[in-house]
Amino acid sequence: MTRADDLGARLGVVLARIAAACDAAGRSPGDVTLVAVSKTWPASDVLVLNGLGVADFGESYDAEAAAKATALRQAGVTPCWHFVGGLQRNKARSVAGYADVVHSLDRSEVVDALGTAAARAGRVVTGLVQVSYDEGPGRSGAAPEDVERLADRVAATEGLAFGGLMCVAPLGEPPRPVFARLRALSETVRRAHPGAVTISAGMTADLADAVAEGANCVRVGTALFGGRGPRLG
Ligand SMILES: *Cc1c(COP(=O)(O)O)cnc(C)c1O
């Protein structure tokens, strides 16, 4: 089997999983955006999936993402790029140059840095606030009680549009109750920001639970591309 056949077969499986999850939840598959998380995989894979109709790609590492976005642009392809990794303030300028959606805004410094960089570049980047349901140090994401304040800040920042919320379910606990909390928090935040409807939740292992709890953006890497090796770039 060629790599293109492999990617096509994997895409079919993932789309069927999303359709089944939507069916079980009484939702339409058209309401769920598949973000293909292409981190560590080459631009050629992105080209194949884009040719099969995938329009959204997610990346986690700035240097790799910037190179891939440039390669795709040179190939005449401009998918919607989602930056889903941890964002450092010193990467904001680079990320603002290619990302259409940043899923990982979790503190005011990165909100401000990304907004300044996007405005200078004459772009508007959609920002999601990443929520953490993990206790303890080293987590990424804002504590749930800080989310409304951060949402207001994203919405008020030039160069940014507030799009909604994102979370990664903590390891080692059932994901569905976490996704239920995210859905409830999204409802709260939408009282002040009715257009911020994105709920980015669900990955290879837990996308059905996320769709059951209202996720409308799932971020899938492994099921589409295979197991990841060492990171590039
Ligand atoms: C890598 C990554 C994914 C994809 O995870 P898989 O388990 O490979 O589907 C989704 N979201 C984020 C934030 C990631 O870093």
Side-chain angles (χ1 to χ4, degrees), residues 37 39 60 84-85 166 168 202-205 219-223 228:
V37 180
K39 65 186 182 204
S60 293
V84 304
M166 178 275 221
V168 176
M203 324 199 313
T204 290
R219 310 176 309 268
V220 179
T222 306
R228 283 183 290 275

Side-chain angles (χ1 to χ4, degrees), residues 38 46 55-59 65 68-70 72-73 77-83 98-102:
S38 47
V46 175
D56 295 83
F57 292 88
E59 293 284 336
K68 225 175 280 180
T70 300
L72 271 282
R73 204 180 308 116
V77 174
T78 49
C80 183
W81 289 108
H82 298 250
F83 190 82
Y98 59 83
D100 300 291
V101 186
V102 172

Side-chain angles (χ1 to χ4, degrees), residues 52-165:
L52 294 172
V54 178
D56 295 83
F57 292 88
E59 293 284 336
S60 293
Y61 312 114
D62 171 58
E64 180 194 345
K68 225 175 280 180
T70 300
L72 271 282
R73 204 180 308 116
Q74 284 165 355
V77 174
T78 49
C80 183
W81 289 108
H82 298 250
F83 190 82
V84 304
L87 182 58
Q88 303 303 319
R89 207 167 22 167
N90 62 355
K91 302 287 196 237
R93 190 162 150 221
S94 174
V95 169
Y98 59 83
D100 300 291
V101 186
V102 172
H103 290 232
S104 48
L105 298 177
D106 63 356
R107 53 196 195 281
S108 32
E109 304 88 80
V110 295
V111 171
D112 296 355
L114 188 68
T116 301
R120 277 196 193 135
R123 301 189 73 231
V124 176
V125 175
T126 296
L128 308 183
V129 172
Q130 180 173 356
V131 191
S132 172
Y133 292 103
D134 252 323
E135 307 298 324
R139 67 176 184 189
S140 33
E145 58 270 24
D146 293 333
V147 166
E148 286 181 79
R149 185 185 53 80
L150 267 178
D152 292 344
R153 194 170 184 114
V154 177
T157 298
E158 193 192 346
L160 301 181
F162 176 50
L165 304 183

